Amino acid sequence: MKTLKTTLLITCSLFFLVGCNNDDDSPAVDNQENIPENNALDIGDYHEGGVIIYLDATGEHGLVCSITDLTDGNTYYAIWNGGVGDIPGADGTEIGTGKQNTIDILNGYIQGNGPNAAGLCAYYSVIIDGERKDGWFLPSKDELNLLFIHKDLINATAVANGGTEIGNERYWSSSEYDADYAWKQALYDNGGQYAYWKPTYSDRVRAVREF
């Protein structure tokens, strides 16, 4: 009986030691591997001289708007361009089309009475930590609508960083409606979007930039 007990004790001890001293060389499982990192950026953040109004799927790239309405030094109101006639290519309305619209407007620009909206955006720049941030443009119809959607966040961040609030005004988009009209939006009440006569109507401008 003692021999049997001793044999069982030795067998159990060996089993325990083998189980606790696994020589498997496979790497340890990283429990953090599948936990997504928190995005450092969010809508309404101050970033690269503007306020974030859009983030793509990566959470690292998107659009910012300027922290103030643009001016030529004399007025905060601008015409779309100086005459009627179709501007080839300046008809994009979706998010991501404002930059090319602005290039097309400037390429087909007709000099008018007063500053033009696309020109104010194209020549706008800010310096952040010694680095010039240029490449601003007049937002497309859908990009402009983001300013209405996020107006409260934009205003709070803009003012906190030395800028000004988006006014209860109409603002130009870079999206042409037809040869005579272009889209603008009332950034107040229900945020209505309207097609207005391009050569003579003057309204506010706030620039947008990719990052």
Side-chain angles (χ1 to χ4, degrees), residues 74-133:
N74 296 311
T75 178
Y76 281 94
Y77 294 88
I79 57 174
W80 197 82
N81 79 344
V84 295
D86 179 59
I87 302 292
D91 55 1
T93 59
E94 298 178 351
I95 294 171
T97 60
K99 186 174 183 178
Q100 186 60 51
N101 284 349
T102 300
I103 293 171
D104 295 333
I105 294 168
L106 294 176
N107 286 339
Y109 177 64
I110 301 172
Q111 181 64 44
N113 183 22
N116 80 92
L120 288 177
C121 294
Y123 292 110
Y124 178 72
S125 67
V126 295
I127 297 177
I128 305 297
D129 296 328
E131 181 180 353
R132 182 176 296 278
K133 303 294 184 181

Side-chain angles (χ1 to χ4, degrees), residues 80 86 90-91 175-183 194-196 198:
W80 197 82
D86 179 59
D91 55 1
S175 302
E176 190 175 51
Y177 177 76
D178 61 18
D180 300 328
Y181 295 85
W183 287 103
Y194 313 94
Y196 271 75
K198 296 188 301 185

